[in-house]
Amino acid sequence: MEDCKLTTILVPSGVLGLGFSQAALDRGVAMGCDAIAIDGGSTDSGPHSLGTGQSKYSRAVCKAEWRALMQARARLGVPLILGTAGTSGTDSTVDWMYQITCELAEELGQTLRVARLYSGQDTGCVISKLAAGRITPLSPAPEIDAAAIKSMAHIVALAGAEQIQAALQTGADIIIAGRTTDTAIIAALPLARGAHPGACWHGAKIAECGALCSTHPGTGVIRVTFDQTGFEVEPMAPEAACTPHSVSAHMLYENSDPFRLYEPGGYLDVSAARYTALDMRRVRVEGSEWVPGPYTVKLEGARLVGYQTMLLAILREAHYVANAQAWADKLVTVLSARVADQIGLATGDFDIELRLIGVNAAMGALETRESLPAEVGALCLITARDQAMADEIGRLANPFLLHMPLTEDEPLPTFAFPYSPAQTSRGAVYEFALNHLMGLDTPMEVFRLDLSEVGAHADVA
Amino acid sequence: MPMLRDLVRKVAAKNAGPFQVTVDVFCGSAEAYARVAPALSDRAVADLFGIAPQVLRRFDIPDLHVVKFSMPRPVVQGSRRDRDMHGAQFATLLEELLI
């Protein structure tokens, strides 16, 4: 019976660029699968990749791992799917991975059909959707209006299973997708082949971080098989095991709700899921449910905040270590006044912040511990509207950061600058400025597909 | 009074997207869960993270011996005032809570 067919997806690791065991990949290839799917990004490292449209991962590392996956794909003759290409899944990072793929196709002597799925959003189109009442905020979400949308450096929409299925239907050997949900690249094929929808999304969530759902997260490779009532998951490294605990606990990871996962067109409910050990290292899961809803996609956007310059001074003298916060507060006040007087900038055109490493640099006002360290690092972050101005404020701040006394009747201190020049230009800084859903009439409405033949014998017209 | 970390196997925190953070208390056993879950008050946790108690979401998961807290990030991930890009240090605050 055709619709009883099992669908197996091999997931080499949680993200391209972080490594996996080649032996585990070889074992997965030997066991066979219907597709290889791997994520290429995340918002986890911050807004910079989305702001600039650049990958945060090393090109050489991504290329080496992609080579191994393209070789695995060629041996099996199944689709290779990359989601959220190049960290943020912007159109430019899709093209970055496409370029790597073209180079590898030449080097490996492969001829391939490559589908590119673009998730980048035109700001005009998003503004029209806002005007039409088709954009709704999640909680919490920044306030937005047409001007705010227009100010975004890049906006992407998270594609779901339907857009990946459209790419699969082209018959592509390789799919390089822009921003997708982490799960869609794994769930798309089993869903298209009629596997249980709750199992498809749940199994995809469990496998999306590779072997993180097993006892040995670093080994990477996971194999997940979907059928009409559930899914089974098995790590490919012999030393790793999936247990009912390791698998069910993975629903906690990076999820604000461990029982519900929202996707384009509905949500997954795992509150009735049953996790059964098939043996010492394989787990079967049944009972998860897919609840259909309106077809919406989540938007991510990054906005330019300004340009930064940083300086670092180290306080070692006990008097200054003990009074570091008072010294930092005074320094910000003095510097802000100097910038207004001597450079002539208005408040709001610049920002000076001091973070005390050794005191509360990670937690800020939330810090609950007090201690007296041997030394304190004073990290000075200066933000302005352009780099030249941030650098200029940095030069103004330099002698104060080096010498400012706590009070006027004490000798001039000299703190430690760890290198020369003391200031570093950090470039453009961005912030995430969208946490909204956008309603669509059809899944492909705001996504674009491009199919190319590439490689050694490609028919280049 | 002991710190939470003396009673449980692990406390882990991570961003759940740029706007939320989630903190999981892995108690490690039914006994530890029975001791810790009722002792962790929503009020104390909300105060610790500087958020209003009504925006704190809590999941008690006895099957996994886990208590999970999710909340809006006090500062949006990666915005100018953010000090911890991945949100992992929220776990250390909770670990050191006296209960």
Side-chain angles (χ1 to χ4, degrees), chain A residues 365-366 368, chain B residues 41-53 56 93 97:
Chain A
L366 296 179
T368 51
Chain B
S41 92
D42 292 1
R43 179 88 225 185
V45 174
D47 285 351
L48 192 66
F49 295 128
I51 55 155
L56 182 75
L93 272 189
L97 186 70

Side-chain angles (χ1 to χ4, degrees), chain B residues 27-97:
Chain B
C27 297
S29 70
E31 295 71 31
Y33 178 82
R35 159 82 174 86
V36 163
L40 271 173
S41 92
D42 292 1
R43 179 88 225 185
V45 174
D47 285 351
L48 192 66
F49 295 128
I51 55 155
Q54 55 270 28
V55 297
L56 182 75
R57 298 169 74 199
R58 175 186 181 131
F59 302 91
D60 288 276
I61 313 169
D63 290 351
L64 292 173
H65 312 136
V66 164
V67 184
K68 182 182 183 73
F69 296 98
S70 296
M71 69 208 86
R73 259 175 152 271
V75 178
V76 174
Q77 181 208 358
S79 62
R80 204 172 55 199
R81 294 284 184 247
D82 186 27
R83 290 163 173 254
D84 179 13
M85 195 60 56
H86 298 80
Q89 313 326 306
F90 286 96
T92 63
L93 272 189
L94 190 59
E95 262 182 2
E96 294 173 4
L97 186 70

Side-chain angles (χ1 to χ4, degrees), chain A residues 303-373:
Chain A
R303 193 182 71 83
L304 181 71
V305 173
Y307 292 79
Q308 260 182 6
T309 292
M310 59 171 271
L311 299 98
L312 178 64
I314 299 162
L315 283 52
R316 176 63 181 79
E317 198 188 318
H319 173 56
Y320 282 88
V321 169
N323 295 287
Q325 191 62 60
W327 176 82
D329 293 344
K330 180 184 171 188
L331 187 60
V332 170
T333 306
V334 167
L335 288 178
S336 299
R338 288 274 175 164
V339 171
D341 289 350
Q342 296 184 307
I343 302 181
L345 283 190
T347 315
D349 284 341
F350 70 98
D351 182 82
I352 300 172
E353 190 187 3
L354 242 84
R355 299 185 187 175
L356 296 176
I357 299 167
V359 178
N360 61 0
M363 300 311 319
L366 296 179
E367 183 55 68
T368 51
R369 266 177 72 169
E370 281 182 37
S371 60
L372 203 58

